[in-house]
């Protein structure tokens, strides 16, 4: 606290002057003046008159100094109290999240350290790590202010749900932590977590509309899963990662095998970054066969990765990791460029099908990058067919429509992949101009034994015919499936009945076999690898 010393000095001078005046009045009231004068006349030649004078002056000064000291002490005490309060306020603000007002990571660590020390098998402590998904989507769609509103609203909801002895902190941009100092059973944190997941799933009202978030939660119990605070946090985060990998809005308790799972995931992520930097993830190609002419009409590019230390890593493992870590755009562009270069060596009538994930479609610049790669490699846009999954429609992503419209204007065809698996509606299909529907292998694989699958596939084929769209059946593996698809008007097929994915170097041999043997199917299907 800063003082105005000039004003303070003026007050001190006035106080000192007032003290002298007060002392003089007291001396007058008690007759000290005449008495001292008499003493002075009586002992004028005595040394005592000097002593009495000195005592009198000292008496006046002592009163003045006492007043001065009391005032100065009070001012300093007030200043110290104000400074102490200000420092406490600053320190308190520094240890809380400015947006939500929740405690920050340091306070969370202190609370956890204290509770972990007191944890026993009869006095268990639960630690919950909460991870949000959807903040980037809100930011891209509605802006930063909408993200702040959603976070503040979420924090309010979590506080309302949290029991009184619970401790909630915001420990990262999209991560929260909870300490429950005493639980009676594992159902306590599990029930709390489920309620929080459900609360986060409710839409958040913002100025530009409504936004949605999903919450995944990892839980550890002390002392069952450890007593070291850092180890508890690490294991809770690993349980959170496992919950997130299981899907949205999941709750997972820590289990010993999670360490192994997360360690492998960390290794895959590290190797994936190196693989992208070295450009070693390559496309393989599965033929698309016309069921009308019984010949190959194109190939679908499928990313394949063989790692020296981890071995073969399936795309359904490394692609989700690429999406979660923000590597998907670099990976997609890289594999697409190689596919375009390979496809320039194919017959000019052959098409190239390439998958785009919903995460890539959130980037409005994707269309421009695809067109740029086509120009750089000399591959015609009219020979390219971009496959998008049905979930891209369900998300109602404005950027996706922008990308698709831009690609269609350039002459690129659009196919809807995995139709029937993500609950897209016909109105959503109409909002996007499509050229093809791909029937998911989960329906095709059960055509032989499931009446329901046959009904679903026939309905999809009828819908496609009504919209004037071509159709491709994935996962065709036997002649019975092929016969049913041809009979019901399916136009193309893919699957191991025709050929599995092959490297680019294997395509000439595949085409040569077809040329020597004639059509892929004659009185039935003929495996191109035979």
């Amino acid at each position: 606290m800063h003082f105005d010393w000039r004003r303070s000095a003026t007050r001190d001078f006035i106080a000192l002057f007032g003290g002298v005046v007060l002392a003089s009045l007291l001396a007058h009231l008690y007759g000290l003046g005449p008495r001292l004068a008499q003493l002075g006349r009586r002992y004028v030649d005595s040394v005592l008159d000097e002593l009495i004078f000195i005592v009198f002056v000292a008496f006046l000064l002592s009163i003045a100094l006492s007043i001065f000291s009391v005032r100065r002490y009070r001012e300093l005490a007030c200043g110290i109290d104000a400074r102490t309060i200000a420092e406490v306020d600053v320190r308190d603000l520094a240890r809380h999240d400015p947006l939500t007002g929740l405690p920050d990571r340091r306070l969370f660590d202190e609370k956890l350290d204290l509770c972990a020390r007191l944890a026993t098998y009869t006095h268990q402590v639960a630690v919950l790590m909460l991870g949000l998904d959807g903040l980037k989507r809100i930011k891209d769609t509605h802006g930063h202010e909408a993200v702040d509103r959603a976070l503040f609203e979420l924090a309010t909801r979590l506080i309302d749900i949290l029991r009184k002895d619970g401790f909630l902190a915001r420990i990262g941009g999209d991560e929260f932590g909870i300490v429950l100092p005493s639980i009676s059973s594992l159902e306590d944190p599990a029930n709390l977590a489920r309620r929080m997941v459900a609360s986060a799933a409710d839409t958040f009202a913002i100025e530009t509309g409504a936004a949605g978030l999903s919450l995944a939660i990892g839980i550890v119990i002390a002392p069952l899963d450890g007593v070291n605070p850092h180890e508890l946090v690490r294991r809770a985060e690993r349980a959170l990662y496992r919950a997130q990998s299981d899907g949205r809005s999941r709750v997972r308790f820590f289990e010993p095998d999670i360490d192994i799972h997360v360690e492998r995931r960390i290794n895959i992520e590290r190797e994936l970054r190196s693989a992208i930097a070295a450009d070693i993830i390559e496309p393989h190609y599965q033929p698309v066969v016309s069921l009308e002419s019984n010949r190959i009409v194109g190939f679908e590019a499928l990313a394949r990765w063989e790692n020296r230390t981890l071995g073969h890593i399936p795309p359904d493992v490394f692609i989700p990791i690429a999406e979660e870590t923000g590597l998907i755009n670099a990976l997609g562009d890289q594999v697409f460029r190689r596919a375009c270069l390979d496809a320039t060596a194919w017959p000019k009538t052959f098409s190239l099908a390439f998958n785009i994930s919903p995460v890539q479609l959130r980037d409005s610049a994707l269309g421009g990058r695809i067109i740029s790669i086509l120009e750089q490699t000399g591959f015609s846009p009219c020979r390219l067919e971009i496959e998008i999954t049905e979930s891209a429609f369900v998300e109602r992503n404005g950027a996706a429509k922008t990308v698709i419209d831009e690609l269609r204007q350039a002459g690129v065809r659009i196919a809807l992949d995995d139709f029937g698996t993500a609950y897209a509606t016909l109105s959503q299909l109409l909002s996007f101009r499509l050229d093809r529907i791909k029937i998911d292998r989960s329906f095709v694989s059960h055509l032989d034994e499931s009446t329901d699958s046959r009904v679903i596939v026939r309905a999809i084929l009828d819908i496609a015919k009504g919209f004037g769209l071509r159709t491709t059946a994935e996962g065709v593996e036997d002649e019975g499936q092929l016969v049913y698809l041809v009979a019901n008007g399916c136009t193309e097929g893919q699957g191991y009945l025709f050929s599995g994915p092959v490297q680019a170097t294997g395509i000439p041999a595949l085409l040569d076999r077809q040329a020597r043997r004639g059509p892929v199917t004659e009185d039935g299907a003929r495996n191109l690898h035979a």
Side-chain angles (χ1 to χ4, degrees):
M1 182 174 181
H2 299 286
F3 295 102
D4 188 338
W5 294 107
R6 289 175 298 180
R7 295 178 62 183
S8 179
T10 301
R11 290 196 303 268
D12 294 343
F13 175 78
I14 293 172
L16 181 61
F17 179 78
V20 172
V21 172
L22 179 61
S24 300
L25 289 174
L26 290 173
H28 177 73
L29 289 173
Y30 288 96
L32 294 177
R35 294 179 184 177
L36 290 173
Q38 290 178 4
L39 289 173
R41 285 193 299 272
R42 183 178 299 176
Y43 303 104
V44 68
D45 294 328
S46 173
V47 179
L48 288 177
D49 59 345
E50 297 179 4
L51 181 60
I52 292 172
F53 179 76
I54 293 172
V55 170
F56 176 68
V57 172
F59 173 72
L60 295 177
L61 289 175
S62 65
I63 294 176
L65 289 174
S66 296
I67 297 173
F68 172 78
S69 299
V70 169
R71 283 186 53 81
R72 179 55 52 85
Y73 173 78
R74 291 181 60 187
E75 286 187 356
L76 291 176
C78 292
I80 291 172
D81 289 343
R83 182 180 301 174
T84 301
I85 294 172
E87 289 175 351
V88 169
D89 290 342
V90 170
R91 189 162 56 247
D92 188 59
L93 287 173
R95 294 156 69 86
H96 284 74
D97 174 49
L99 175 63
T100 63
L102 294 174
D104 65 3
R105 183 66 184 250
R106 285 179 296 177
L107 281 180
F108 176 81
D109 290 341
E110 291 176 7
K111 179 69 173 181
L112 177 57
D113 182 61
L114 177 62
C115 292
R117 292 180 184 180
L118 302 175
T120 65
Y121 285 96
T122 57
H123 184 86
Q124 296 179 342
V125 175
V127 181
L128 293 74
M129 300 299 288
L130 290 64
L132 284 174
D133 181 46
L135 288 180
K136 187 177 185 304
R137 184 167 59 251
I138 294 176
K139 184 192 73 173
D140 294 341
T141 307
H142 304 285
H144 287 282
E145 290 187 3
V147 172
D148 291 346
R149 286 178 176 272
L151 281 170
F152 183 82
E153 174 64 23
L154 175 66
T156 302
R157 294 183 188 181
L158 297 180
I159 292 171
D160 291 340
I161 296 172
L162 188 66
R163 68 192 203 189
K164 292 182 179 180
D165 65 338
F167 183 87
L168 172 66
R170 186 184 180 196
I171 59 180
D174 57 358
E175 198 171 35
F176 294 80
I178 294 175
V179 179
L180 299 180
S182 179
I183 61 172
S184 57
S185 70
L186 297 183
E187 282 301 308
D188 285 355
N191 289 335
L192 176 66
R194 284 191 285 266
R195 291 176 61 197
M196 288 184 167
V197 166
S199 178
D202 291 339
T203 56
F204 295 84
I206 54 179
E207 291 182 356
T208 53
L213 289 172
S214 62
L215 190 66
I217 302 179
I219 307 173
V220 296
I221 306 297
L224 298 178
D225 299 319
V227 292
N228 181 280
H230 297 294
E231 187 67 14
L232 288 171
V233 169
R234 186 184 71 84
R235 291 185 169 181
E237 287 178 339
R238 293 200 165 186
L240 170 61
Y241 295 152
R242 188 63 179 268
Q244 291 172 325
S245 64
D246 288 346
R248 295 183 177 180
S249 303
R250 300 298 179 92
V251 177
R252 287 295 298 264
F253 280 87
F254 173 79
E255 298 170 358
D257 71 320
I258 287 181
D259 266 341
I260 299 174
H261 171 84
V262 174
E263 195 65 37
R264 175 171 169 77
R265 186 196 180 283
I266 292 172
N267 290 336
I268 291 175
E269 180 183 338
R270 182 178 60 250
E271 293 294 327
L272 179 60
R273 293 182 184 276
S274 300
I276 293 174
D279 193 10
I280 62 175
I281 298 177
E282 61 180 18
H284 285 202
Y285 303 94
Q286 186 170 33
V288 177
V289 176
S290 169
L291 302 186
E292 299 166 342
S293 66
N294 300 327
R295 288 188 173 276
I296 295 174
V297 293
F299 293 89
E300 179 182 357
L302 304 168
R304 293 294 183 265
W305 180 23
E306 198 74 29
N307 184 266
R308 289 180 298 178
T309 57
L310 300 176
H312 174 71
I313 303 174
D316 59 357
V317 171
F318 70 81
I319 288 179
I321 293 176
E323 291 175 336
E324 293 169 16
T325 56
L327 297 171
I328 188 63
N329 284 331
L331 174 62
D333 291 355
Q334 192 175 89
V335 175
F336 178 63
R337 182 183 299 277
R338 294 186 64 171
C340 288
L341 290 172
D342 289 340
T344 56
W346 303 343
K348 299 300 183 184
T349 57
F350 279 19
S351 63
L352 168 66
F354 193 84
N355 289 278
I356 297 297
S357 80
V359 175
Q360 288 176 276
L361 280 170
R362 296 171 190 166
D363 182 5
S364 59
L366 175 64
R369 293 204 310 274
I370 290 175
I371 294 171
S372 176
I373 291 173
L374 290 173
E375 293 173 349
Q376 294 167 15
T377 58
F379 189 73
S380 171
C382 297
R383 297 175 59 191
L384 176 63
E385 188 169 271
I386 290 294
E387 298 183 1
I388 59 176
T389 60
E390 195 174 336
S391 58
F393 293 95
V394 178
E395 286 189 5
R396 300 177 181 271
N397 189 349
K401 194 171 190 312
T402 300
V403 170
I404 292 172
D405 289 344
E406 186 175 4
L407 292 175
R408 287 199 62 89
Q409 290 175 7
V412 177
R413 290 170 303 191
I414 306 298
L416 177 60
D417 199 10
D418 302 333
F419 180 74
T421 61
Y423 312 106
T425 66
L426 293 180
S427 63
Q428 289 170 325
L429 292 179
L430 287 171
S431 68
F432 288 79
R433 291 191 298 157
L434 299 172
D435 299 283
R436 180 185 303 276
I437 289 178
K438 299 193 73 173
I439 305 172
D440 188 66
R441 67 181 65 250
S442 63
F443 302 127
V444 176
S445 62
H446 294 97
L447 282 177
D448 292 335
E449 71 276 3
S450 171
T451 302
D452 290 342
S453 291
R454 289 194 291 271
V455 171
I456 291 172
V457 169
R458 187 167 59 247
I460 293 174
L461 292 171
D462 288 343
I463 290 172
K465 184 178 180 180
F467 279 105
L469 306 176
R470 299 187 69 81
T471 50
T472 300
E474 297 181 301
V476 182
E477 297 183 353
D478 63 49
E479 293 188 17
Q481 296 168 354
L482 179 62
V483 169
Y484 183 87
L485 292 167
V486 172
N488 285 276
C490 186
T491 55
E492 279 86 26
Q494 279 181 267
Y496 279 88
L497 180 64
F498 310 117
S499 172
V502 299
Q503 292 180 301
T505 54
I507 290 180
L510 194 65
L511 298 178
D512 182 63
R513 263 198 306 276
Q514 176 179 272
R516 287 187 285 106
R517 295 193 175 209
V520 175
T521 58
E522 292 172 350
D523 295 329
R526 182 174 293 169
N527 193 317
L528 296 177
H529 282 314

